[in-house]
Amino acid sequence: MGDGATGPTTSGSSDDGDGALIGREADRERVGAFLAGIPRAGGSLVLLGEPGVGKTALLAAVARETEAAGVRVLQTVGVQYRAQAGYGALRQLLASAPESRSEAAGVPVLAAALGFERGTAPGHDAVTEAVVSLLADLSRDLPTLLVLDDVQWLDRASAVVLGQVARQLPGTGAGMLCAARPGDESFFDYSGLPLHELGPLSEDASEALLRRRFPALAPRVRRRLMADAEGNPLALLELPAALTDPQRAASQALPARIPLTRRLQSTFASRITTLPAATRHLLLVAALEGSGNLRIVRRAVAGRCSLKHLAPAERVQLVHVDDTTGRLGFRHSLMRSAVVDLSTSDQRRNVHRALAQAWTGVPEQRAWHLAQATVEPDEQIAALLEEAADVSARRGDGPNAVAALVRAAELSPARSEQARRLAKAAYVGANLTGDLRDVPRLLDDARQAAPHADSLAAAVAAALYLLNSYGDIDTAHRLLSGAIALQPAPYDPTDATVLEALSTLLMVCVYGGRPELWPDFDEALAKCTSVPDTVQLLRATFADPARARPSDWARLDAAIAALPGTSDPIRIVRIGTAGAYADRLGALEEPLRRTARGGRTGENIFPAIQASFLWSSHAWFTGEWSELRRVAHHGLSLCAEFDYPLRSWTGTFVLACVSAACGDFATARAFADRMDQWAGSRRANAVRCYAAHARTLIALSQGDVEAAYRHADTITPVGSLSPFTGHALWVVLDTVEAAVRTGRREKAVDHIRAAREAGLDAVSPRLRMVLLASAALATEDDEEAVRRFGEALAVEGAERWPFDHARIQLYFGERLRRGRASARARPHLGAAADVFRRLGADPWTDRADKELRACGSPVRARTRTTGVSLTPQQREIAELAAAGLSNKQIGERLFLSPRTVSTHLYQLFPKLGVTSRAALRDALDQVQEG
């Protein structure tokens, strides 16, 4: 049986069930080009592909379509393990059409060879010549195509003859299309024949196939199956069958290794069962070791076999050894699963014991293997495994950390330790993997293990759950502050649970945004033997940045400078958060991008959400609005999938700001309404500030300065910087403009004075630029205004914040024009209009253009074609390609595979009417986003 369909509902291919193949457009094109040449020339083409990759489905589709087009199709298939008589497959092939059978029966050589008549069996060469002659005769009447599946399993006589026939078909008007598995021993010799390798499906095609066939799969489950299947269509269609309904819906955790269905097992195990016992043992050790470290594998098999026993597995291409790195890799991850599935539990435990010995000196690895080899509770192993979990968490491997803690709990003899480790697994999961839905189950298991235990870990997990899932700020605050107060003082912040308790309580207070929440936190901090730097920085520079001291900013800069190379995503996000209001995120581009990408692998979902929104906030100020939309939507999709409504509002906020600035007021207002509605009953003042900021921008963009003043005043009373309102640092310019334009100049002056007394002009160049421009707006002295505007625009790197910079140019030009200095105003107004136009900030462009016209200057007409429309993602890819980035670099920035980028560009070139990347820039200038 082939690796393709046995029926429309069990197809081991990318067939979507109605005969259409998903993701095989390029393969169909290659086969189509071959078929088109058959009537004129004939010839052969061999499709090579791994088991389950969809060769059979492609052959079946080609056979159907070719036959419908009037071509005679003769088919046969090799069958593994079937004892076939000589020429059995050739007989099946020629008998698959009545006319070919009757013609073959009339050829004495074939009649004798195929058993149609009794006679002396002819030699292979004679049979080959007769088959070629027969096919040439048949093709004079009708083009003929031979379709051979699984040629590696053809009987010997048929394989030898058909291999020879394949080389003699050119010029006959007949063609041969056959499929083979690379590496399998075969009597069919395809060396020298044209080959086409059928590779795995792309990420997009894999996802499309799963969505079509299993639409109810939860996104995180779909991603896991895609990772395990590695683009293999059979695996994509069979692996979901091995899951329970709760597992498919993500309401129950997936196993560390998804068991193979019987069909997958038979497909991937066929090469394994025929190997020598020593080779199979060696493969099991390599499969359970996991990393491909041959040094460790050699230690683990010492005394039983050696690495030379890999040779049989290498010859059939089950595994390969990289000559550069010296690491062993399985040809497909499901080969590894098949090796494990074919072993017994006792064999697996023995191998884990051997691996634990081999990993002596590496506690994390040793702990894991000891835990897998142990069946009885063992506190020593449980403690080692908990330490391993801490190491995994620090490098951002959330799933591994949670799995280690759960296993450590299972091995804990004491019920109290079992409960503590389960609770710790709950908060590590909430902080890293995004598995908020698992928190109640783990906490319930912890309570059942020790009903009366007072656990700080349980309080942290419960508070994270209440805060992030329900937004229940007040209950989370009471629960956590009470649990911390019960701990014996002084607190040891080197204890990971204490650190998480303090960090979680801090964020509860931040989102509450109310001064009365902070005394409990500050009291707890005062009882610490030392203050962790992340907690100290978050308290000083994020919770209440207007009251941070110069030494706090210096510590923040030192912490940021030390981040490159850091693998801990939680630390990256916390340091990034500490620098968010102080314009420090540009220095964190690489670690934030790296952390955001972790959400695609499932290793650190929650930090990925936070990193996406931190970078989006930075992109708002730096004018990277196309990327902002993409990254923010990426983060919002993770929030929706993993149920983090509280965290979603940061992404919603930046999208509301861009929508407001670009004149999409309905969208911006809808975002603000949703934020206000959610925050109201929960008393989440930080989210209400988000909404107020968005409304301020809407009003300023519409010219409703009274409404803008009113909304800005709800963030912090104009003229002051309220405690614990970091957001006030982001609306200084908006607040001052609204105050000045509504005739409240004294309020504007007071607001500037408060910002300067807080030392904000020394916090960042952007804030210095904003304060200088605000002072220029607020002064009635035209000469002073000109000087202040000039100083603002001269701040080093001022162009890094294009929207604010363009606004200042606009204000400067407006002031000059009203002072009858139109000639001096025009350059500033023109520069502002150009930047606004590039950003797509239409209301602001209109305002600048209006001022230019009042200066008597011509306004550049907007030229946009209507015939071509690009999606934001298409435009982003095209712009990056036009800037010279490679497909790999684009993929890293946009969280896409290089293959997906290549596909988009392949579609974009004809759409834009260009043939090279060099022509993209000019084409993009004439295209609108769709």
Side-chain angles (χ1 to χ4, degrees), residues 213-222 225 239-255 437:
R213 295 293 293 274
F214 303 97
L217 279 179
R220 72 172 88 173
V221 177
R222 186 165 57 245
L225 295 179
L239 286 175
L243 303 178
T244 64
D245 288 341
Q247 286 172 335
R248 290 180 194 144
S251 58
Q252 186 180 91
L254 296 182
R437 297 168 203 172

Side-chain angles (χ1 to χ4, degrees), residues 53 237 331 341 417 493 506 539 587 654 696 716 762 775 789 802 814:
V53 80
L237 296 176
R331 190 168 184 89
D341 280 357
E417 282 298 281
L506 184 144
R539 173 63 177 85
V654 291
T696 302
T716 182
F789 276 128
E814 288 175 335

Side-chain angles (χ1 to χ4, degrees), residues 220 224 253-254 256 364 368 385-386 388-407 421-422 424-436 438 442 567-570 595 598-599 601-608 642 644:
R220 72 172 88 173
R224 166 66 187 281
L254 296 182
E364 182 185 4
W368 260 115
L385 203 53
E386 184 174 2
D390 292 340
V391 172
S392 294
R394 284 195 294 273
R395 67 165 179 258
D397 189 350
N400 202 50
V402 172
L405 286 166
V406 171
R407 180 61 177 151
R421 285 166 176 148
L422 285 170
K424 185 175 178 179
Y427 80 67
V428 169
N431 256 338
L432 274 174
T433 66
D435 283 332
L436 274 181
D438 285 345
L442 289 168
S567 60
D568 184 349
I570 294 178
T595 303
T601 63
E603 291 178 353
N604 49 290
I605 295 293
F606 188 43
F642 291 90
Y644 278 93

Side-chain angles (χ1 to χ4, degrees), residues 212-574:
R212 177 73 67 89
R213 295 293 293 274
F214 303 97
L217 279 179
R220 72 172 88 173
V221 177
R222 186 165 57 245
R223 282 198 299 272
R224 166 66 187 281
L225 295 179
M226 287 169 60
D228 282 8
E230 296 181 4
N232 185 283
L234 178 64
L236 287 166
L237 296 176
E238 288 286 318
L239 286 175
L243 303 178
T244 64
D245 288 341
Q247 286 172 335
R248 290 180 194 144
S251 58
Q252 186 180 91
L254 296 182
R257 180 179 56 81
I258 298 175
L260 302 186
T261 62
R262 181 178 301 176
R263 191 166 186 222
L264 280 175
Q265 183 67 263
S266 65
T267 299
F268 285 92
S270 60
R271 298 184 192 175
I272 301 168
T273 54
T274 59
L275 295 172
T279 303
R280 289 181 62 175
H281 176 71
L282 189 55
L283 290 180
L284 180 60
V285 173
L288 294 178
E289 190 278 328
S291 72
N293 189 323
L294 281 178
R295 181 170 51 86
I296 298 300
V297 171
R298 185 175 61 246
R299 288 181 192 171
V301 300
R304 179 162 178 174
C305 59
S306 68
L307 293 183
K308 70 180 182 181
H309 290 100
L310 272 180
E314 288 186 280
R315 278 195 290 271
V316 296
Q317 299 186 26
L318 276 179
V319 296
H320 60 89
V321 176
D322 189 310
D323 292 334
T324 303
T325 64
R327 290 194 173 272
L328 179 148
F330 283 83
R331 190 168 184 89
H332 193 283
S333 63
L334 294 184
M335 290 291 187
R336 176 186 284 111
S337 296
V339 168
V340 176
D341 280 357
L342 288 170
S343 66
T344 67
S345 60
D346 187 56
Q347 287 173 326
R348 293 192 291 273
R349 283 193 296 273
N350 287 335
V351 167
H352 280 300
R353 290 189 191 99
L355 286 168
Q357 289 296 320
W359 276 110
T360 300
V362 184
E364 182 185 4
Q365 293 289 345
R366 183 168 178 269
W368 260 115
H369 290 296
L370 285 173
Q372 297 304 311
T374 303
V375 293
E376 298 294 332
D378 187 314
E379 176 56 31
Q380 185 177 4
I381 295 177
L384 287 173
L385 203 53
E386 184 174 2
E387 291 176 10
D390 292 340
V391 172
S392 294
R394 284 195 294 273
R395 67 165 179 258
D397 189 350
N400 202 50
V402 172
L405 286 166
V406 171
R407 180 61 177 151
E410 293 171 352
L411 294 175
S412 301
R415 307 280 283 181
S416 59
E417 282 298 281
Q418 183 180 355
R420 183 185 64 79
R421 285 166 176 148
L422 285 170
K424 185 175 178 179
Y427 80 67
V428 169
N431 256 338
L432 274 174
T433 66
D435 283 332
L436 274 181
R437 297 168 203 172
D438 285 345
V439 170
R441 176 181 59 79
L442 289 168
L443 289 180
D444 187 56
D445 291 346
R447 279 191 293 271
Q448 291 184 30
H452 304 295
D454 291 324
S455 170
L456 182 60
V460 173
L464 279 167
Y465 181 71
L466 289 169
L467 177 67
N468 288 299
S469 187
Y470 293 104
D472 192 343
I473 291 168
D474 291 331
T475 303
H477 185 272
R478 285 196 301 272
L479 176 67
L480 201 49
S481 58
I484 293 173
L486 289 174
Q487 305 304 305
Y491 307 145
D492 179 11
T494 61
D495 181 331
T497 305
V498 172
L499 174 59
E500 289 308 317
L502 292 170
S503 300
T504 304
L505 182 57
L506 184 144
M507 294 312 297
V508 169
C509 296
V510 165
Y511 275 103
R514 289 171 265 132
E516 66 268 19
L517 297 175
W518 285 98
D520 286 340
F521 173 84
D522 289 335
E523 182 179 344
L525 207 60
K527 293 180 180 179
C528 289
T529 54
S530 62
V531 180
D533 66 334
T534 53
V535 175
Q536 184 181 47
L537 289 171
L538 284 166
R539 173 63 177 85
T541 65
F542 182 67
D544 197 7
R547 286 154 189 82
R549 298 164 299 182
S551 58
D552 296 321
W553 301 117
R555 277 194 296 272
L556 173 62
D557 289 333
I560 291 172
L563 269 186
T566 300
S567 60
D568 184 349
I570 294 178
R571 179 171 180 81
I572 289 168
V573 164
R574 286 176 179 167

Side-chain angles (χ1 to χ4, degrees), residues 5-24:
T6 58
T9 60
T10 59
S11 172
S13 72
S14 52
D15 190 322
D16 70 0
D18 59 6
L21 292 175
I22 294 176
R24 291 300 183 198

